[in-house]
Amino acid sequence: MSLIDILSKPKEDKQIKLDEIGRIRDLLDYGNLDMEEALNTMNLLAENVVLQEDNDIKEAMLNAILEGESSYDLDVEIDLKDILANLSMFNDECISYILTMLGYTGKEEYREIIQSFSNNPKLSSDVEEALLELNHALKK
């Protein structure tokens, strides 16, 4: 069964989903995929994270995307439009991952989104780090 098959079944056992996401995260983390496969996998995760109801599954998916971003020097960015269109559905732990992703992009247009979470005490250090990443990426 493919990742998309597992993720698209709303009633699929949570542990089965987490195990498959963990397998994918390991593939991304250890660089066992070529660049195109890695990008396609990360985009697949980004598209499907908004379809998940369970916060643990969302967090695992976002973690896998970040592992991939750290392991691959992508010359194109991950498609975050579905995530950004649905920010209100994510808890603070998930937003932490998303802030980091936004910082990695180096896109000035995301600065306002990142800063919009600065009043949340649970996310203040994540906002600072994301802004540092954003500023660093902009200098390149």
Side-chain angles (χ1 to χ4, degrees):
M1 189 177 295
S2 73
L3 175 63
I4 192 69
D5 291 335
I6 291 170
L7 293 176
S8 65
K9 293 183 178 181
K11 300 292 185 201
E12 188 69 67
D13 181 82
K14 178 178 176 175
Q15 193 57 52
I16 291 172
K17 285 185 178 185
L18 289 172
D19 289 346
E20 182 61 13
I21 295 164
R23 187 185 71 76
I24 296 298
R25 185 194 64 238
D26 288 346
L27 286 173
L28 290 168
D29 188 27
Y30 298 114
N32 294 333
L33 302 173
D34 67 35
M35 191 71 70
E36 185 176 342
E37 289 174 314
L39 180 61
N40 288 340
T41 300
M42 288 183 270
N43 279 329
L44 181 68
L45 290 168
E47 290 169 20
N48 283 276
V49 70
V50 298
L51 303 176
Q52 304 306 309
E53 294 179 12
D54 186 277
N55 285 323
D56 293 336
I57 292 171
K58 288 180 206 175
E59 190 173 348
M61 292 171 76
L62 294 167
N63 176 267
I65 294 168
L66 276 181
E67 290 294 335
E69 283 187 318
S70 297
S71 298
Y72 292 86
D73 186 20
L74 298 175
D75 55 353
V76 294
E77 78 176 62
I78 297 165
D79 185 354
L80 300 175
K81 73 177 180 297
D82 292 332
I83 292 172
L84 292 175
N86 293 283
L87 280 176
S88 64
M89 71 173 288
F90 293 102
N91 65 13
D92 289 345
E93 290 78 13
C94 291
I95 293 293
S96 174
Y97 286 102
I98 294 167
L99 291 172
T100 301
M101 287 180 212
L102 295 176
Y104 283 169
T105 68
K107 287 189 161 191
E108 183 63 38
E109 65 195 74
Y110 293 148
R111 183 176 303 278
E112 190 174 318
I113 296 170
I114 294 169
Q115 289 174 329
S116 72
F117 291 95
S118 61
N119 290 332
N120 182 334
K122 293 180 183 176
L123 295 171
S124 61
S125 64
D126 297 307
V127 169
E128 285 180 35
E129 288 179 33
L131 290 171
L132 286 173
E133 287 292 342
L134 180 67
N135 292 334
H136 177 73
L138 285 169
K139 289 180 183 177
K140 289 182 181 181

